[in-house]
Amino acid sequence: MSFLINLAIGLIFGLGLAISGLANPEKVLNFLDIAGNWDPSLALVMGAAVVTTFIGFRVIFARKKPVCAMNFDVPANRKPDRSLVIGAILFGIGWGLGGICPGPAITTVGLAATGTLIFVPAMIAGMLIARKVKAS
């Protein structure tokens, strides 16, 4: 049952990315190009996501336990550490240069777009390298 719920949530998330334009690197790059061909429409998408998350967290954490788990898995460390900061910087640089991030990349991999076919293997390689570096 948990697999089906996760599959449904993933499909809804992917559909949202496609509809919003976050799966289109050109739209993302135009949003980031404030001095050029700026497209502010993604600000509405991000604003809606923030409002939805704000409300959603309050509704979810009002429950005693999650629907599909025994308890909530909330990180104990709530302070930014070096790993988080470096990861955020690398993520931002990659998103700004390529116009694509992991969620939309996986969503659009089925389209066999050249950028995605380069990005996804590089992303997987980066994840494997990061895992090895963190383990050592």
Side-chain angles (χ1 to χ4, degrees):
M1 183 66 169
S2 180
F3 172 78
L4 293 177
I5 291 171
N6 289 331
L7 179 64
I9 290 169
L11 290 173
I12 292 168
F13 180 70
L15 184 63
L17 289 173
I19 291 171
S20 69
L22 278 168
N24 180 354
E26 290 177 25
K27 187 166 186 76
V28 172
L29 292 173
N30 284 338
F31 171 70
L32 296 172
D33 187 10
I34 297 171
N37 190 22
W38 188 53
D39 179 1
S41 63
L42 290 183
L44 296 172
V45 172
M46 286 189 255
V50 168
V51 170
T52 303
T53 302
F54 180 81
I55 294 168
F57 270 105
R58 271 140 190 82
V59 169
I60 289 169
F61 284 120
R63 301 178 59 88
K64 292 183 184 199
K65 69 179 198 102
V67 176
C68 295
M70 294 305 294
N71 52 23
F72 290 106
D73 187 16
V74 180
N77 180 10
R78 294 177 178 240
K79 294 181 181 179
D81 60 3
R82 182 174 180 229
S83 178
L84 176 67
V85 172
I86 291 171
I89 290 169
L90 291 173
F91 174 85
I93 291 170
W95 193 47
L97 290 174
I100 194 162
C101 67
I106 292 170
T107 300
T108 58
V109 78
L111 301 175
T114 305
T116 304
L117 295 177
I118 295 168
F119 181 88
V120 172
M123 176 183 74
I124 292 168
M127 291 165 67
L128 294 172
I129 291 169
R131 185 176 290 168
K132 285 197 179 274
V133 167
K134 196 169 186 175
S136 60

